[in-house]
Amino acid sequence: MKLSINGQVSEVDVEDDTPLLWVLREQLGLTGTKYGCGIAMCGACTVHIDGVAQRSCVLPISAVSETQKITTIEGLGVQQFHPVQDAWAEIDVAQCGFCQPGMIMAVSSLLAQDPNPTDEQIQSEITNICRCGTYPRVLEGVKLAAQRMASNQKAGGSNEQV
Amino acid sequence: MNKSETNAHSEGAINLTRRGFLKGSGAAAGAFVFGFSVPFSQSALAQSNSPEVNAWVVVQPDETVLIRIARQEMGQGSLTGLAQLVAEELECDWDKVDFDLVKPGQNRERDNAWGSQFTAGSTAIRGSHEYLRQGGASARMMLTEAAALQWQVSASECRVSEGVITHEPSGRTTTYGAVAKAANDIEPPKTESIILKDPKNWRIAGKDKARLDTLDKLDGSLVYGVDFSMPGMLVAVPKACPVHGGKLKSFDAEKVKNMPGVKQVVRVDDETVAVVADTFWRAQKALKALPIEWDEGDNAKVSSESIAKKLREGLTADTSFVGNQAGDAKDALANAEQVIEADYSYPYQNHAQMETLAATVRWRKNGCEMWGPTQVPGAALAALAEAAELPQDVCEIHTMRIGGSFGRRAATDYIRQATLIAKQIPDTPIKLMWTREEDMLQGRFHPVTQCRLRAAMDDEGNVQALHMRISGQSIMAYAMPQAMGDNGDPVAYQGLDPEGDMALGYSFPNLLVDHAMHNPHIRPGFWRGVNLNQNALYLESFIDELAHAAGQDPLAFRRKLMANHPKHLAVLEAAAKGIGWDTKPPEGIYRGIAQVKGFGSYVAAAAEVSVTDGEVKMHRIVAATDPGHVINPQQVEAQVAGSFVYGLSPLLYSEATVKDGRIEQQNFNTYRVMTLKDMPKVEVITMPSGGFWGGVGEPTIAVAAPAVLNAIFAATGKRIRNIPLKNTDLTVS
Ligand code: FES
Ligand code: FES
């Protein structure tokens, strides 16, 4: 079975029902994507599929095709940090950090769809669980990243990643 | 922006330049470690109470300063705070500081050179600040002495700043990196000759500093215990009897042994079976398919209702466990004209840390090693050695940063399991990984309690007597029975003690705080905030009840009771001022306050909520905290906000209930926790008054829930005495 992950095609040989999460973690060694619940409740396993955030723990590998572009946290800001990662570093969002790859993937997807979300939109879209309680800084981080991305755009830069 | 060129954006921002700088330096050859060869231990014999060593600081020729961190980092930020304390006295360049984690075997080998590695009870900083600062100062003195020796001058003529040593009369300079090797031969100063800086003059400590341990959390490169792997490793997924105390009767390995990837099915101990496979996914799948028979025993009859019934009996039972006493409360209550009485309860809670339990163990005939996280490295090493049936000096634990813990890894059950499995498969690294379901079922639960409060109050609203009867489970009786005392469980009275780190902030002429112990089979543990959480909820809600019964303002009412407790009162006043207690709240907004002292810190909260058609919304909480000293204000703020999430989840949603002897909630769909949408705005007032060292990771949890409950009462006239709110007729928006 072939998968397109972080711009590379990888071949894996696993049972059909293996969730993408475990293919990433255990077949491809991409452990930045985390397991938190396995039932699509926590968001720790969030990746992008064709740019859209998805919870990979409930996505059987048989449902993913080679034409779909999968991006994991390892592929988000390869040459340079994604603006969301920059914002996260700048205001020290992470505590234990375990939920943050998923959080960052969810936020970067949200900002790709909606560059200027309201507080309410952020609150309803970002449903990832953080037991350390980084929520206030997550909210602040989303807005900071949105600002940065807007001014990059103005300056003619691009936010295209990978 | 290029990753390696990114600059600090603002004060408190991560300095990526620093990381770029460190990348090239590595902990490689030519580094000099202070303390490794110093004969501190001899002088230590003469002064047994002093810190014996200075093993904290490594200076590399390229000026990188590695600070060794002995306490465990699980998100609380103490790693950075501890490094700030060492760096402050060391007078090094903060931008060149990096860290290194101390292993418990290393510590043991060197006679406990780094002191306790235990990390719970908000102890990381307050339990080690003095010897850490001395460690930094001692290294500074040795480095300065080394430079002075080279110049043939007196060290007293030399000054240090940011890792540069200057001989003032001649203006000559050198750097720490240049003299590190020579300093290694310098006799360390005697502890009594070390003069620590007055915190007033701190430049690194007490200031907003970006965490040292951030960047690898943002790109997925940090390897947690669950991510660890090594060649030839297998993965074991365990299942223990869902009824605590029950036994594993039998399992049918034949049924799963041909499933993909399965290597072995092993009996781990009396109550646990595990499937060992090449991957987690395959192991857990086989485990689900494995027919298992349990001998659940009598505990299978226990339910939340049966536990509650027992605890209710405890509310009136005779007990000899007294936590705090003044005058004769019972007599005063018996003769009082007006007695106000209320019963409260607080359910079991699971830690539900995001990283499920995991540890990799390799057992060999001649030694046993573990790679994984723990909050108690010393006890973990002992547990590893015991399960391995090997002496501790051939065992080692490679500690790792933790994906949240909140007390869960103060227990070593998973380490024992991993070792018992590895021992059956010698020479093969075994990564034990728990499913979320197992993590929920086999938690070390925040204990269940009820509380009856009875107060005698006169016509003017003066409280003449208070009896607070706590009925419920003891953590210590299970987790540390050797610590049980005349008062039963010494931590049962957190926040209600007569004095000390957990001192009650009110004076009553007659007071009785006692504990009727009932220990259900559900295994309890230390859960962030421990017993302070419910004790504060009980008392602070009840004080509010008394204030309303007396027809007085809750703040004014408390002031009268707090005259002898100025520090408690100061944080309460600050929180009240922050929320604007004296001003009228916006339309539809109601307020509540609460205060407590815990883990050495004075804390208070003031909340604003609205309740619309039975729907509760928390808008804003102002927290005030006086931890004595603050090492990193921006991290204190993060801890306070985070602690609110921890404390408010049980208020809104979370509870672990028991049916047929087992915990019912097995994942986040039923054990619901707060998410971003529930988060009120949090404002943090830090007001360190000096002279003591309190914790910051835990105390504020306890005041969030009662402040909100008191605000809900103000809004609705409804007193919620049993949480979570989801079980009441209120809903949460
Ligand atoms: S692990 Fe996928 S949502 Fe929790
Ligand atoms: S930072 Fe620890 S769970 Fe989110």
Side-chain angles (χ1 to χ4, degrees):
Chain A
M1 181 175 310
K2 284 188 176 161
L3 296 169
S4 160
I5 298 172
N6 299 333
Q8 281 184 346
V9 177
S10 308
E11 180 101 41
V12 294
D13 180 18
V14 290
E15 296 80 81
D16 275 2
D17 63 347
T18 312
L20 175 61
L21 170 65
W22 297 104
V23 172
L24 293 171
R25 290 182 57 82
E26 303 198 305
Q27 308 297 325
L28 302 170
L30 296 171
T31 54
T33 306
K34 304 300 183 196
Y35 162 71
C37 69
I39 57 166
M41 282 299 297
C42 76
C45 62
T46 306
V47 298
H48 294 175
I49 298 185
D50 292 333
V52 179
Q54 296 236 3
R55 296 187 171 177
S56 64
C57 66
V58 290
L59 188 64
I61 201 66
S62 56
V64 185
S65 79
E66 192 193 336
T67 57
Q68 288 176 304
K69 289 198 174 7
I70 301 166
T71 306
T72 70
I73 186 73
E74 289 90 348
L76 185 71
V78 180
Q79 297 306 317
Q80 50 181 33
F81 261 7
H82 184 281
V84 174
Q85 289 167 312
D86 272 336
W88 254 234
E90 184 169 334
I91 60 171
D92 242 351
V93 173
Q95 290 190 27
C96 83
F98 198 81
C99 71
Q100 299 300 341
M103 200 68 95
I104 290 167
M105 294 309 280
V107 169
S108 52
S109 166
L110 170 68
L111 292 179
Q113 328 297 311
D114 184 348
N116 195 16
T118 63
D119 279 19
E120 289 67 37
Q121 279 166 329
I122 299 168
Q123 281 165 346
S124 69
E125 290 298 318
I126 303 302
T127 56
N128 299 43
I129 294 175
C130 173
R131 288 291 283 158
C132 295
T134 59
Y135 303 128
R137 290 196 189 182
V138 167
L139 191 63
E140 199 186 328
V142 178
K143 295 191 206 166
L144 183 62
Q147 258 174 38
R148 287 286 153 71
M149 287 166 74
S151 53
N152 284 357
Q153 213 107 56
K154 262 198 211 129
S158 153
N159 292 310
E160 274 304 298
Q161 299 300 323
V162 183
Chain B
M1 242 180 299
N2 188 289
K3 228 186 223 178
S4 56
E5 289 170 7
T6 310
N7 258 307
H9 300 289
S10 66
E11 172 65 23
I14 281 272
N15 187 334
L16 296 182
T17 315
R18 174 238 311 274
R19 315 308 295 186
F21 168 84
L22 289 174
K23 212 186 247 159
S25 60
F32 294 96
V33 177
F34 294 93
F36 263 89
S37 55
V38 293
F40 241 170
S41 45
Q42 278 162 10
S43 55
L45 288 176
Q47 5 160 327
S48 60
N49 262 340
S50 70
E52 304 90 61
V53 288
N54 169 17
W56 309 98
V57 177
V58 182
V59 179
Q60 295 177 339
D62 69 355
E63 310 296 333
T64 307
V65 174
L66 269 185
I67 295 181
R68 288 221 168 82
I69 303 295
R71 305 278 180 155
Q72 306 311 300
E73 175 62 44
M74 44 201 158
Q76 81 279 34
S78 59
L79 183 155
T80 306
L82 294 167
Q84 284 176 268
L85 286 170
V86 175
E88 181 65 57
E89 295 291 342
L90 182 60
E91 299 282 6
C92 62
D93 179 353
W94 177 251
D95 285 344
K96 291 178 182 161
V97 169
D98 204 352
F99 65 90
D100 196 17
L101 302 180
V102 175
K103 303 182 197 11
Q106 220 180 334
N107 197 14
R108 196 175 165 272
E109 210 165 86
R110 293 194 43 205
D111 272 342
N112 217 20
W114 288 276
S116 171
Q117 297 192 264
F118 176 89
T119 312
S122 295
T123 51
I125 287 178
R126 66 199 182 103
S128 53
H129 63 90
E130 190 168 10
Y131 57 74
L132 278 180
R133 289 190 291 155
Q134 286 170 344
S138 166
R140 182 197 70 232
M141 291 161 81
M142 290 160 78
L143 287 156
T144 311
E145 186 65 46
L149 215 66
Q150 275 176 12
W151 292 326
Q152 298 288 312
V153 301
S154 155
S156 63
E157 293 172 6
C158 299
R159 186 174 51 85
V160 189
S161 169
E162 310 232 326
V164 178
I165 306 165
T166 306
H167 178 237
E168 299 217 276
S170 69
R172 275 176 294 186
T173 64
T174 187
T175 63
Y176 277 2
V179 297
K181 186 175 188 313
N184 203 26
D185 297 330
I186 301 283
E187 179 100 7
K190 291 214 167 20
T191 308
E192 59 273 14
S193 71
I194 299 174
I195 298 162
L196 297 177
K197 288 166 95 170
D198 185 326
K200 277 205 297 285
N201 303 321
W202 282 350
R203 295 172 313 110
I204 298 171
K207 301 286 183 276
D208 280 343
K209 292 288 174 196
R211 295 173 66 126
L212 293 174
D213 58 343
T214 286
L215 290 187
D216 56 1
K217 294 172 181 167
L218 306 182
D219 61 9
S221 60
L222 172 56
V223 174
Y224 296 88
V226 287
D227 303 326
F228 184 77
S229 98
M230 59 198 290
M233 183 184 86
L234 296 175
V235 179
V237 181
K239 182 162 185 63
C241 183
V243 178
H244 297 179
K247 300 272 175 273
L248 172 65
K249 214 164 36 190
S250 65
F251 55 89
D252 185 359
E254 285 301 310
K255 286 269 185 341
V256 303
K257 76 167 202 290
N258 293 322
M259 287 178 70
V262 173
K263 306 285 180 195
Q264 223 169 308
V265 183
V266 299
R267 176 181 281 271
V268 183
D269 57 18
D270 264 11
E271 55 180 293
T272 316
V273 60
V275 173
V276 182
D278 58 349
T279 65
F280 169 83
W281 174 253
R282 287 169 172 160
Q284 64 82 38
K285 203 173 157 193
L287 184 65
K288 263 188 205 146
L290 181 72
I292 309 172
E293 270 195 85
W294 307 109
D295 174 7
E296 295 180 351
D298 278 351
N299 291 337
K301 297 185 193 126
V302 176
S303 65
S304 283
E305 292 69 36
S306 70
I307 293 171
K309 184 164 170 274
K310 276 273 203 282
L311 297 194
R312 256 191 315 276
E313 287 162 21
L315 293 177
T316 52
D318 285 336
T319 177
S320 52
F321 296 144
V322 174
N324 194 353
Q325 198 168 18
D328 188 338
K330 280 190 175 161
D331 186 66
L333 279 158
N335 296 310
E337 276 170 32
Q338 190 196 183
V339 174
I340 297 166
E341 179 178 312
D343 293 350
Y344 285 79
S345 70
Y346 196 103
Y348 280 121
Q349 299 294 332
N350 189 295
H351 293 90
Q353 73 291 342
M354 283 313 293
E355 183 192 7
T356 47
L357 296 184
T360 302
V361 173
R362 183 177 58 199
W363 188 93
R364 291 169 163 163
K365 251 189 356 269
N366 56 356
C368 185
E369 283 171 276
M370 172 189 129
W371 292 262
T374 172
Q375 290 182 239
V376 290
L381 184 63
L384 182 78
E386 194 189 317
E389 297 186 69
L390 288 168
Q392 280 196 35
D393 53 18
V394 298
C395 297
E396 181 58 294
I397 289 182
H398 307 269
T399 54
M400 292 173 138
R401 285 188 275 153
I402 316 180
S405 205
F406 315 115
R408 179 61 184 89
R409 294 180 192 79
T412 56
D413 50 335
Y414 61 103
I415 295 173
R416 184 175 160 275
Q417 282 184 351
T419 312
L420 291 174
I421 299 167
K423 193 156 173 277
Q424 298 182 47
I425 311 173
D427 301 316
T428 305
I430 300 292
K431 175 155 83 172
L432 174 92
M433 289 177 74
W434 285 27
T435 60
R436 173 60 66 192
E437 287 75 12
E438 188 72 357
D439 214 291
M440 287 273 177
L441 288 172
Q442 303 295 339
R444 291 293 179 270
F445 292 83
H446 180 75
V448 64
T449 57
Q450 295 182 7
C451 184
R452 173 162 295 174
L453 298 112
R454 305 182 73 229
M457 206 159 62
D458 68 17
D459 290 345
E460 265 107 65
N462 300 307
V463 183
Q464 274 138 359
L466 175 75
H467 179 196
M468 189 166 171
R469 160 62 59 88
I470 301 160
S471 172
Q473 187 161 8
S474 156
I475 303 169
M476 292 307 227
Y478 172 78
M480 296 175 73
Q482 70 281 11
M484 296 294 280
D486 290 345
N487 57 352
D489 179 339
V491 304
Y493 315 101
Q494 290 177 326
L496 308 169
D497 286 348
E499 58 192 13
D501 279 358
M502 305 273 187
L504 178 69
Y506 301 111
S507 299
F508 303 103
N510 300 288
L511 171 72
L512 178 60
V513 179
D514 54 9
H515 182 211
M517 188 161 67
H518 168 63
N519 296 323
H521 70 291
I522 300 295
R523 291 170 180 147
F526 303 95
W527 190 91
R528 190 177 184 179
V530 196
N531 291 311
L532 194 67
N533 296 329
Q534 72 274 16
N535 289 347
L537 186 149
Y538 299 154
L539 185 58
E540 285 306 292
S541 295
F542 189 64
I543 294 281
D544 210 66
E545 294 203 45
L546 297 180
H548 287 285
Q552 293 178 19
D553 171 78
L555 176 59
F557 185 79
R558 282 177 172 80
R559 274 186 196 130
K560 286 189 305 183
L561 298 168
M562 296 176 76
N564 298 327
H565 307 275
K567 291 202 178 210
H568 288 81
L569 184 57
V571 289
L572 182 64
E573 297 280 11
K577 183 154 178 266
I579 205 97
W581 191 261
D582 289 337
T583 64
K584 208 169 124 42
E587 178 76 22
I589 299 283
Y590 297 86
R591 292 174 179 151
I593 49 171
Q595 65 81 25
V596 78
K597 180 182 184 188
F599 306 94
S601 294
Y602 302 86
V603 299
E608 282 187 347
V609 308
S610 64
V611 182
T612 316
D613 298 331
E615 202 175 84
V616 177
K617 180 151 181 64
M618 303 184 292
H619 295 269
R620 180 172 163 240
I621 304 187
V622 178
T625 172
D626 175 4
H629 293 281
V630 169
I631 308 305
N632 192 343
Q634 67 99 348
Q635 279 302 305
V636 170
E637 188 209 299
Q639 280 304 298
V640 170
S643 80
F644 281 0
V645 173
Y646 219 69
L648 293 172
S649 283
L651 172 73
L652 303 181
Y653 311 115
S654 318
E655 63 173 338
T657 53
V658 185
K659 194 176 167 206
D660 300 330
R662 65 200 76 202
I663 295 293
E664 291 189 276
Q665 293 73 14
Q666 298 194 28
N667 211 319
F668 288 116
N669 53 347
T670 45
Y671 189 78
R672 216 180 132 189
V673 297
M674 265 174 84
T675 54
L676 186 57
K677 77 167 178 53
D678 303 312
M679 191 69 204
K681 196 161 163 273
V682 175
E683 293 160 34
V684 180
I685 301 166
T686 21
M687 38 192 291
S689 60
F692 62 97
W693 293 72
V696 295
E698 300 183 89
T700 43
I701 300 180
V703 284
V708 171
L709 285 170
N710 292 339
I712 290 174
F713 179 83
T716 62
K718 247 185 241 162
R719 184 60 66 180
I720 309 288
R721 302 193 180 93
N722 307 292
I723 61 168
L725 286 181
K726 76 169 170 71
N727 296 344
T728 69
D729 52 5
L730 296 172
T731 56
V732 184
S733 71

